Amino acid sequence: MRIRSLGTVLLAFIFAVVTATTTVADESSPAAAVPTTITGRFVDENNWPLAKIGVSNWDYDWNYRETTTDKNGNFVLTVSVAEVGSVELTYSDQEFGQFEEVTLTLPQVTPGKTRSIGTIRLSSVRNPGRHKKAIKTSSKKAVKKAYRKRFAKQVRNEKPVKVKGCKAAATPKALQKRELKAVNLFRAMAGLAPVKLDKKLSQRARAAALIQYRQGYLDHYPAKSTKCYTKAGGAASSESNLSMGWVGAGNMNGYMIDPGSGNTAVGHRRWIMAPGLTKIGTGYAGTFNALHVTSDPNYAKPTPQWISWPTAGFFPDQLEPWGRWSFMTARHDLSFKKANVTVTIKGKKQKIKVYRGADGYGYQQGLSWDFNKIPKAKGKKTTVVKVAVSGIQLRDATTLPTVTYSVKLFRG
């Protein structure tokens, strides 16, 4: 009896030790990963929903998971979480390239428990809004004063720049300064930062103008066999606005008018109005001009949501661009393929022809249109032109509300 009892005790003791050992081994093994849901929403500075933003995660086992936001800017991503701790998410904009890639860390994520990152607001440009020195176009007095001082007084009966052989005389500095004032007036009307005159760019522009003068017509890609061709002049020809026949501040306005059937995309205007433009160069040969406008842009410059010409608010009738108006944006994730324009004066719809699809000039996209009958101010009276742009697509997923603004034409 005692031997059997002892055996029973020994067996019980051995079983207890084995069980205890097994239990300790289970506690030291890693916890199993649990599917855990992360949710959130992306919007821009206007509170517009951002579709097609990529959201991804690499877990501790190097498993990769990704998703994209829907048309409302929402996303749901399931990741693997083994224990309470941080989870890294990366969001990017590979579809449109409008927003930079960013990695954020979510602390104290609990396995199996849904975690929301809330609403993340992204800025479509680095510095949205108008420049501090922008002209207040809601003030007729401010616009008139700026127009008269910075444009009307700069327009002169300028002389052509003399050319002898393959050498064009230096473009007068006073002339260049007058052109610079005109360019900066246009930009200030639209809320853009002023640009500076660059000596080296002006030298390149003069070389480009000389090539145009010698060949007798305008060509952004002149042949190397052209008389007076230089490498610098040839390159600058493709980097500049080119014109012939006008000289001075009035010529700068000629670029803003952008007349002719080949300029419906208003590319010359858009380069002058590029938000990130910081410096220009201008040079002449005879009445042939090159205005260098494609230096490296500074994307930190203030950038309005919309860049129109004529600009909203009071606008000098003398700068009205011969009935060719435009509406642009610096954003890459907006589409104007289905957009349309309606223009009214005193409630009467105006006949216009709309042009779409020419993106890229001045790092902008949008549309332009020609009036069948050019709107004008009548005497001392102000002509109010109401513009409505509808059908703008945001990230190929959402249609924006119709954008409306009024242009008040008056004699400056």
Side-chain angles (χ1 to χ4, degrees):
M1 291 291 294
R2 274 184 275 179
I3 294 176
R4 282 197 299 270
S5 298
L6 180 61
T8 301
V9 171
L10 288 173
L11 288 173
F13 176 75
I14 293 171
F15 177 79
V17 171
V18 171
T19 303
T21 302
T22 303
T23 302
V24 171
D26 288 344
E27 290 176 351
S28 64
S29 63
V34 177
T36 303
T37 301
I38 308 294
T39 66
R41 185 169 189 254
F42 287 87
V43 298
D44 70 1
E45 68 272 20
N46 305 299
N47 208 37
W48 295 342
L50 298 177
K52 301 182 181 180
I53 294 291
V55 184
S56 61
N57 163 262
W58 287 94
D59 66 18
Y60 62 93
D61 283 331
W62 292 103
N63 295 313
Y64 180 73
R65 294 172 175 81
E66 66 176 340
T67 189
T68 57
T69 55
D70 61 20
K71 67 177 183 179
N72 296 314
N74 297 311
F75 77 90
V76 177
L77 180 66
T78 301
V79 300
S80 294
V81 180
E83 57 187 24
V84 176
S86 61
V87 171
E88 286 191 347
L89 291 183
T90 298
Y91 60 84
S92 59
D93 186 14
Q94 296 182 4
E95 182 81 13
F96 299 97
Q98 186 68 47
F99 304 97
E100 296 180 353
E101 181 177 296
V102 174
T103 297
L104 55 86
T105 301
L106 303 180
Q108 299 298 305
V109 177
T110 302
K113 186 176 180 180
T114 298
R115 175 68 175 272
S116 172
I117 65 172
T119 298
I120 294 183
R121 193 178 303 276
L122 305 180
S123 180
S124 60
V125 292
R126 295 182 187 178
N127 190 0
R130 292 169 64 85
H131 190 267
K132 61 182 180 180
K133 293 184 178 180
I135 296 171
K136 188 178 180 181
T137 57
S138 61
S139 168
K140 184 178 182 179
K141 182 179 179 180
V143 173
K144 179 184 288 188
K145 181 180 179 180
Y147 165 75
R148 290 183 174 182
K149 181 179 180 180
R150 299 165 65 176
F151 182 79
K153 287 186 177 181
Q154 308 309 317
V155 177
R156 311 285 175 84
N157 185 20
E158 309 280 7
K159 295 181 180 180
V161 174
K162 294 181 179 180
V163 180
K164 185 175 181 179
C166 284
K167 185 176 181 180
T171 302
K173 292 183 179 179
L175 166 60
Q176 292 176 321
K177 289 181 179 179
R178 287 192 284 271
E179 292 187 332
L180 179 65
K181 287 183 179 180
V183 166
N184 280 332
L185 169 72
F186 306 148
R187 293 178 61 83
M189 288 286 292
L192 301 171
V195 296
K196 294 181 179 181
L197 187 66
D198 185 87
K199 184 177 180 180
K200 291 184 178 180
L201 292 182
S202 292
Q203 291 173 344
R204 289 172 63 83
R206 180 172 60 167
L210 178 60
I211 294 174
Q212 311 303 315
Y213 174 88
R214 278 301 172 199
Q215 67 185 6
Y217 58 90
L218 305 176
D219 188 350
H220 286 292
Y221 302 96
K224 294 182 179 180
S225 59
T226 303
K227 188 177 181 180
C228 301
Y229 182 92
T230 59
K231 184 177 180 180
S237 294
S238 66
E239 300 163 352
S240 305
N241 285 346
L242 302 176
S243 69
M244 58 182 287
W246 288 337
V247 180
N251 185 36
M252 299 300 102
N253 190 40
Y255 287 130
M256 296 299 289
I257 294 172
D258 239 350
S261 59
N263 291 318
T264 56
V266 293
H268 303 92
R269 180 189 301 173
R270 288 158 68 177
W271 281 116
I272 287 176
M273 304 294 272
L277 188 65
T278 59
K279 54 188 178 181
I280 61 172
T282 180
Y284 283 87
T287 62
F288 284 78
N289 171 254
L291 179 69
H292 197 289
V293 286
T294 57
S295 56
D296 292 337
N298 180 355
Y299 294 112
K301 293 291 183 179
T303 304
Q305 181 70 67
W306 311 114
I307 304 170
S308 66
W309 195 257
T311 53
F314 287 99
F315 191 88
D317 184 70
Q318 295 92 327
L319 294 180
E320 194 286 322
W322 297 5
R324 179 162 290 172
W325 293 28
S326 59
F327 181 84
M328 300 288 161
T329 181
R331 289 184 66 156
H332 309 305
D333 59 351
L334 296 181
S335 172
F336 289 79
K337 293 179 180 179
K338 297 181 180 179
N340 201 11
V341 183
T342 301
V343 183
T344 58
I345 298 177
K346 292 184 177 180
K348 185 177 180 180
K349 188 176 180 180
Q350 303 297 297
K351 292 182 179 180
I352 61 173
K353 183 176 182 180
V354 180
Y355 306 101
R356 307 176 184 82
D359 299 335
Y361 297 107
Y363 312 107
Q364 301 164 60
Q365 58 180 332
L367 40 75
S368 57
W369 62 93
D370 284 338
F371 281 85
N372 187 50
K373 183 180 180 181
I374 299 175
K376 288 289 182 181
K378 296 180 180 179
K380 294 183 179 181
K381 294 183 179 180
T382 298
T383 297
V384 180
V385 183
K386 295 184 178 181
V387 180
V389 183
S390 60
I392 303 172
Q393 296 288 309
L394 172 62
R395 305 180 70 81
D396 295 335
T398 307
T399 301
L400 296 184
T402 299
V403 179
T404 61
Y405 63 98
S406 295
V407 177
K408 302 176 181 179
L409 296 173
F410 74 101
R411 295 297 293 175

